[in-house]
Every structure is written in structure tokens, then in C-alpha cells.
Amino acid sequence: MTLDVALRHQIGSFTLDVAFQAPAGVTALFGRSGAGKSSVVHAVAGLMRPRAGAIRLEDETLLDTEAGIWRPPHQRRLGVVFQESRLFAHMSVRRNLLYGAWFSGGAARGALADVVDLLGLGGLLSRAPDTLSGGEQQRVAIGRALLARPRMLVMDEPLAALDAPRRAEILPYLERLRDSTGLPILYVSHSVAEVARLAATLVVMEEGRVAQAGPAAEMLADPAIAPLIGVREAGALLSAQVVAHAPDGLTELAVSAGRLVVPHIVAPLGARLRVRVPANDVILATQPPTGLSALNILPVRVAGLRPGTGPGVIVQLRAGEELLLARITRRSAETLGLVPGLACHAIVKSVSVAPGNIGAPTSDLADTPGTSDPV
């Protein structure tokens, strides 16, 4: 199921002028605060009526200003989850969930059981919302949206109000939701780590417009995207498979360029993962390094360089069948003589690959690794 969006709207001095397509899977709308992400979500959900544009979900038109078509929110069959859970305080978790089923005209008992199992809500059903943690409340809100039997989920920064431990708690549930329901999801975030873990498609917004859009793995490995997401947040994705758990607390992953050793991951041998390697944590050497504490040394080849406005350079590297990014100084790049095609070595500290940067793969990364074109 594909969502096509083309909108133009004026909000005070702010102009929203966007056009993009969200294919099956998770499409992340990414951008800094004030980029217009939430305005797009409100328009898609029918909570804002744009001055001009069209929104189509597969073969149904939700909005077409030229044709005079505007479907109200309750006719769009979208499950919407906001930053705040917006649960009914006077209802138990069970009754909050069943409200979603009632809203859709009723859901079978099996549907409720499936959602409770999917989101780990079994021990919470009799509790009141104000006794739940923020992460638990958001899981209930997602469950309520699912039980409304939506054709698509729209999630407006659902983790933004949570602290880091609660975000870490709920991300695996979002991965399960993505992989088991088959629902297309429009996911708004300003967190690169969330986008890297969840999204198949990335739409980067800046000042009310779409700056770039495309497959998430390609976009995050493109040095040109670094200024848009923040150079300190830049980092590419690798597809990986768990091959060993060592007794010293490390897990060994097979990637297309070799082996990657990271802190222990709770995943069975053979599990396929997607790993985000921050560009700031990659060091380059033109000769095989020795006497280092770093355990990860991957053979790479320079694919391209993109100087920044300051002293830094983003180096795109071909690592086996995939791409890495390294952020180094311009002086280092000149000293090493880095040019496209140069063979060198990428050094990654094991502890720099944090658990939050490791997640289950989406189909774009798992099935077609290394499809990005070098700069």
C-alpha cells in the first residue's frame, strides 16, 4: 500500500510545500524541530485541512483540493499515535484497548489477544494509565490504534517524550509491529538512531520542504545527507548476522567486509541485524594498523569525500558490498592522501557500537545490501 502526498499550506510566515511517496514498510519523516513534519502528519490524518494539494492512499483519495474532496478523520481508517499517549484516564488498559476495537465497529477476541501479545501488555490490562511508565503508556496507545483496524499507522514522534531507557524499552516492540503486522507506517522523528533502526524509506524535511528522499540505507550512507541530519549524527547502516557470543561479553557479527565485534547482543546465532556505525567512531589508516586496542579493523576503499564548511570531511567508504562513513579532519584526509579508489582500513571501537544502534533488519537492508551508489 502506497501513500502519495503533495501539499501546500501557509501557517503564518511558514510555508509548507512538500511532495513525496511513502511505499510499504516504515517511511520516516525526519527533520529538525520546525521543519513541518507534524503539519504533514496532521494533514494526512485529516486534523489539518491544507489550502492546496492531494493525498492518496493506494486507490482512495483522502484529499484533493482541486476536485473538492476531503475525507474527515473518522473516514480515513488511519491509526494515529502522538507524542503523548492520550489514554483515557478513567479507563483501565483493557478498556482503552477495547475503545479502539469499538471505534472500528468491534474486533474479535482473538484480535485483542494478538495485540496484547505483540506489545507485551498481558500484565497491564487491569491497571490504570496513571500507574504505567511512559513506555507502557505508549504501547497501550499503539495497541488501541491497531485495534481500530487501520489501513495505515501514522506515528508523530511517539518516543520524543520518553527518556533514553524508555525509548530503548519500546523500540523492540516497534520493530515487532513493523515486521509482524505488514501495516505501512508513516513515522515522524528527529532521532537518527530511531530512523536507522526502523525505517525502510527516509524523507528528510527542511524548512517546510522535502530536502531529500529515498531508501533509508542509501540515504544514511550518502555524505550529502550529513548537513541535513547533523554531521555529529551521520552514520551508515550495515547488514549483519550473529555468528558467535564470546564468554567475555562480546558478540561477533559477520558483515560483508569481514567481522564486527560489539558488546553482547541478546539475539540467537544466525539472527540478522542492522547495525548503525556512527561516522564519528570510524578511524582510517592507509597501512594495516598494529598494537591497537580496537578489535574491529575492516578493509575498505574510499568511494568519495565531502568537505564540510568547517575543518571536517565526511569520507564515504566501500566496505565489502556496503558503505560506511568516516568523519575526520581535512588535515587528516590530506595527510593520508585520501582520494576515491584508495584502499585503506576502517577502525571501529567495539564499545562505540551502542545497543541502541543495533536492531532487526528491514527488507530494504536485509534483501538488497550494498545497492547504494558511491558519491
Side-chain angles (χ1 to χ4, degrees):
M1 185 175 291
T2 300
L3 176 74
D4 290 284
V5 176
L7 302 172
R8 184 173 177 82
H9 189 68
Q10 194 73 28
I11 309 170
S13 61
F14 180 80
T15 300
L16 182 70
D17 189 356
V18 299
F20 65 89
Q21 185 176 83
V26 177
T27 296
L29 282 182
F30 178 88
R32 296 182 176 90
S33 296
K37 307 182 299 297
S38 291
S39 296
V40 172
V41 164
H42 289 171
V44 170
L47 304 177
M48 180 186 82
R49 196 163 182 169
R51 295 185 179 179
I55 301 173
R56 293 181 178 86
L57 182 57
E58 202 61 21
D59 56 355
E60 182 177 357
T61 299
L62 306 181
L63 166 76
D64 189 329
T65 55
E66 290 189 2
I69 298 172
W70 185 77
R71 289 194 176 276
H74 67 279
Q75 294 181 2
R76 298 193 180 198
R77 286 189 58 199
L78 302 176
V80 185
V81 180
F82 298 97
Q83 287 187 31
E84 305 84 17
S85 62
R86 303 192 183 187
L87 300 178
F88 299 115
H90 64 291
M91 293 183 180
S92 67
V93 166
R94 180 188 294 275
R95 291 181 62 199
N96 268 281
L97 293 171
L98 290 175
Y99 180 85
W102 171 83
F103 185 83
S104 68
R109 186 181 300 273
L112 175 61
D114 289 343
V115 167
V116 167
D117 180 63
L118 173 70
L119 297 172
L121 302 175
L124 307 179
L125 294 177
S126 63
R127 291 174 58 180
D130 63 1
T131 68
L132 305 178
S133 70
E136 290 169 339
Q137 290 178 6
Q138 284 299 75
R139 280 191 275 148
V140 176
I142 293 167
R144 183 174 62 183
L146 286 174
L147 284 167
R149 295 189 295 182
R151 293 179 301 164
M152 181 176 194
L153 281 178
V154 179
M155 309 183 81
D156 187 6
E157 302 210 48
L159 308 188
L162 305 180
D163 58 23
R166 300 291 79 76
R167 288 196 297 271
E169 166 196 313
I170 200 171
L171 271 169
Y173 290 101
L174 294 179
E175 290 173 330
R176 289 175 62 184
L177 171 66
R178 174 198 67 196
D179 299 336
S180 62
T181 65
L183 278 175
I185 300 173
L186 184 64
Y187 189 93
V188 175
S189 179
H190 62 265
S191 165
V192 178
E194 282 177 40
V195 169
R197 281 188 62 164
L198 297 173
T201 303
L202 178 58
V203 178
V204 180
M205 292 187 60
E206 187 177 36
E207 297 181 353
R209 289 169 170 76
V210 174
Q212 288 199 47
E218 288 187 20
M219 295 273 287
L220 293 173
D222 184 354
I225 207 74
L228 299 176
I229 67 174
V231 291
R232 294 183 182 277
E233 299 294 328
L237 297 176
L238 297 179
S239 55
Q241 188 169 30
V242 178
V243 294
H245 293 299
D248 61 356
L250 297 175
T251 293
E252 190 172 330
L253 306 175
V255 296
S256 65
R259 297 295 172 95
L260 199 64
V261 178
V262 299
H264 179 73
I265 299 169
V266 181
L269 297 180
R272 301 181 69 187
L273 305 171
R274 65 187 326 193
V275 180
R276 176 174 172 265
V277 180
N280 274 344
D281 294 327
V282 178
I283 298 171
L284 298 180
T286 54
Q287 299 295 325
T290 60
L292 296 178
S293 62
L295 298 176
N296 299 312
I297 302 173
L298 300 175
V300 295
R301 190 173 297 274
V302 176
L305 299 94
R306 184 181 179 89
T309 55
V313 174
I314 297 289
V315 185
Q316 188 186 54
L317 305 159
R318 175 64 65 180
E321 298 176 359
E322 301 179 291
L323 294 170
L324 273 176
L325 295 180
R327 181 173 178 243
I328 63 175
T329 65
R330 189 174 306 175
R331 181 182 299 181
S332 294
E334 293 171 353
T335 300
L336 294 174
L338 300 185
V339 293
L342 180 70
C344 53
H345 302 269
I347 304 157
V348 183
K349 290 179 63 177
S350 297
V351 293
S352 69
V353 184
N357 286 324
I358 300 174
T362 57
S363 58
D364 70 303
L365 194 66
D367 298 336
T368 55
T371 56
S372 304
D373 293 325
V375 292

